[in-house]
Amino acid sequence: RQQNEKELNKQNTSIPFVGYDKLDEELLEPEVPTWILIKDQQGNLIRKISKKAEKGSHRLAWDLRHSNSTPLILDKEVRVSETGPMVKPGTYTASLIVEKGGEVLARSEEVEFDVKSIRNGVLEGIDYNTYEKFRLDYNNVAVDFMRFSQGLKIAEEQINTISKNGARLLNYLEDLQHLQELKIDLADLKKQSGVSPSRNEVGEKDKQTTSSNIGMASRGFSTTYGPTPLHQRSLDQAKKLLEKDLLKLNQLQGKLSNFLIGLEQKGISIIN
């Protein structure tokens, strides 16, 4: 339609109005992206790279990294990188597709190629199978930690919202007592999974946390010889700490859920 209207403009010809329904449809019309699909030797899709399909010649480059396989969090404040750890040497395939709204308009044949190590570092690194096992273990811990962090955030927001609307609680004293117990449980969990608020205020850290151990473990992907035994120990420690954090979070969520059910039974409608 737009191309046709351009031609009519050149001819100084009246342009017919197609109607608002047609224009609304055009606003919802999806873009036409080009995708490069990277698969490993087992045929697993490990990375997708996209670019808007346009006229002319274009280049798309793969940075030899996996995609980020952590959960998709529907929160505008959460920003997660698209890329994951480096891939190990081996045989991979690449193919190109052009799609529009999930419909494949064009598809190329798969091209096979090898990823090779171009040099050996001064420090001898671990074997690639150990690296791959560490990568998968790390991803599982990172997924659980993101679930924990998001669950803690939601619980804290709900408790704070209820607290700000304390005047609406019917059985005021009893409900306030239960609310205070939830606040204490929340504070205990935040202190267990993080550091003391008083210490944190002055920047003093008195213990290791799940987050600090995951951060240390992640550094194993940023070297040519890692992950080292130190990175593995940090990952193992993160697993143990996270188990305790998740257990306490589940207990807090159960108490909070029962509290909200009790409020609804007393006639206070709640929309999550």
Side-chain angles (χ1 to χ4, degrees):
R1 178 192 62 82
Q2 293 177 353
Q3 186 62 36
N4 182 53
E5 289 181 357
K6 287 181 181 179
E7 294 299 324
L8 293 176
N9 265 330
K10 292 178 182 179
Q11 301 170 16
N12 291 323
T13 304
S14 176
I15 299 175
F17 180 55
V18 297
Y20 288 111
D21 289 342
K22 179 64 177 178
L23 294 177
D24 288 342
E25 290 179 9
E26 291 182 5
L27 290 174
L28 296 174
E29 189 171 335
E31 292 185 345
V32 181
T34 300
W35 295 88
I36 289 181
L37 309 181
I38 307 294
K39 295 182 180 180
D40 63 16
Q41 197 164 11
Q42 289 72 42
N44 301 311
L45 181 63
I46 62 170
R47 186 70 185 278
K48 296 185 293 183
I49 309 165
S50 68
K51 183 178 179 63
K52 183 179 179 181
E54 297 175 323
K55 292 182 180 180
S57 299
H58 304 276
R59 289 184 178 182
L60 281 175
W62 177 38
D63 57 4
L64 302 181
R65 290 184 175 274
H66 289 270
S67 63
N68 192 329
S69 54
T70 52
L72 176 62
I73 299 179
L74 303 180
D75 188 330
K76 65 179 181 180
E77 297 180 0
V78 177
R79 294 291 180 267
V80 179
S81 172
E82 293 183 1
T83 61
M86 295 286 290
V87 300
K88 65 178 183 179
T91 301
Y92 297 84
T93 62
S95 60
L96 184 145
I97 67 170
V98 180
E99 62 91 13
K100 180 179 180 181
E103 178 185 357
V104 177
L105 305 180
R107 183 190 299 272
S108 73
E109 297 293 329
E110 289 188 344
V111 177
E112 188 173 276
F113 61 94
D114 293 326
V115 173
K116 300 180 180 179
S117 178
I118 59 176
R119 69 178 179 87
N120 293 323
V122 176
L123 298 177
E124 183 179 355
I126 62 172
D127 64 273
Y128 294 122
N129 289 333
T130 303
Y131 174 89
E132 190 67 4
K133 182 180 183 304
F134 180 87
R135 183 185 71 83
L136 294 174
D137 288 345
Y138 174 86
N139 181 72
N140 290 334
V141 174
V143 168
D144 287 340
F145 180 68
M146 291 186 72
R147 289 198 178 101
F148 166 77
S149 299
Q150 195 67 7
L152 178 60
K153 176 184 176 182
I154 292 172
E156 183 173 16
E157 289 175 348
Q158 290 180 339
I159 291 173
N160 288 340
T161 299
I162 297 170
S163 181
K164 291 177 182 178
N165 292 272
R168 299 186 61 187
L169 304 183
L170 298 182
N171 194 346
Y172 193 67
L173 295 180
E174 180 184 348
D175 290 337
L176 279 185
Q177 182 180 2
H178 291 162
L179 181 58
Q180 181 62 20
E181 291 173 359
L182 287 171
K183 289 181 179 180
I184 292 174
D185 288 345
L186 174 64
D188 288 344
L189 176 54
K190 292 178 68 175
K191 188 173 181 178
Q192 173 180 297
S193 61
V195 296
S196 161
S198 301
R199 289 178 180 269
N200 191 49
E201 187 174 355
V202 295
E204 181 182 347
K205 297 181 179 179
D206 61 336
K207 63 179 180 180
Q208 293 187 9
T209 64
T210 304
S211 179
S212 64
N213 277 280
I214 289 178
M216 176 58 72
S218 69
R219 296 179 186 177
F221 298 119
S222 61
T223 69
T224 58
Y225 54 85
T228 65
L230 171 62
H231 299 129
Q232 184 63 59
R233 285 198 300 271
S234 296
L235 185 60
D236 293 339
Q237 184 68 8
K239 289 180 184 178
K240 295 178 182 178
L241 293 172
L242 186 55
E243 286 181 2
K244 297 179 181 178
D245 294 342
L246 286 170
L247 177 60
K248 200 155 190 175
L249 175 62
N250 288 335
Q251 293 172 346
L252 174 63
Q253 289 173 327
K255 291 182 180 179
L256 178 57
S257 177
N258 290 335
F259 180 66
L260 295 177
I261 291 173
L263 292 180
E264 288 191 318
Q265 290 174 345
K266 296 173 183 176
I268 300 177
S269 299
I270 297 175
I271 300 177
N272 292 321

